[in-house]
Amino acid sequence: MTPEQIIKRPIILTEKARRLSEDSGKSTKVLFEVARGANKIEIRNAVQALFKVTVTDVNTSIVRGRMRRMGRGQSKTQNWKKAVVTLKEGDTIDFFAETES
């Protein structure tokens, strides 16, 4: 898998993501939604390749899908994998920076 296939999207608009990024002390923690089949080593290499930072630790968890109503019936959303990536002290990822074209 390529790094773009492994890292699906950053999770930045939740309370837990903000608390982790602010309260982690010296090192910065960032949350990502990642591919279900990716392991910690692949996630580490993908983040380092895409964002040019040094990763010190990766923690993963499987998040269960929720039951959703659709008319009279119910269905379940897909399970997904979440990764908490700890960056080296001094490294940050700025998702809202303007890119130069």
Side-chain angles (χ1 to χ4, degrees):
M1 282 194 278
T2 64
E4 290 82 10
Q5 292 172 330
I6 293 172
I7 306 295
K8 292 186 176 182
R9 67 183 179 99
I11 303 171
I12 52 178
L13 298 177
T14 62
E15 290 182 29
K16 186 170 188 172
R18 288 187 186 157
R19 188 179 30 173
L20 279 175
S21 65
E22 294 170 357
D23 296 342
S24 58
K26 297 178 182 177
S27 59
T28 304
K29 293 186 179 182
V30 184
L31 272 67
F32 291 101
E33 179 183 346
V34 296
R36 286 276 314 268
N39 60 30
K40 292 181 180 185
I41 297 167
E42 292 172 338
I43 295 168
R44 173 190 306 258
N45 293 337
V47 170
Q48 290 182 156
L50 288 174
F51 300 106
K52 309 291 188 275
V53 293
T54 304
V55 176
T56 58
D57 192 25
V58 176
N59 296 346
T60 60
S61 65
I62 302 291
V63 180
R64 288 182 108 178
R66 300 175 5 192
M67 293 300 293
R68 305 306 290 276
R69 285 203 50 186
M70 296 192 182
R72 288 184 284 172
Q74 289 186 343
S75 67
K76 182 178 171 286
T77 60
Q78 286 191 341
N79 297 342
W80 54 283
K81 190 176 221 179
K82 175 171 61 174
V84 179
V85 177
T86 306
L87 305 177
K88 188 178 101 176
E89 182 180 344
D91 284 354
T92 58
I93 299 174
D94 191 12
F95 296 109
F96 298 109
E98 292 184 24
T99 57
E100 297 180 26
S101 307

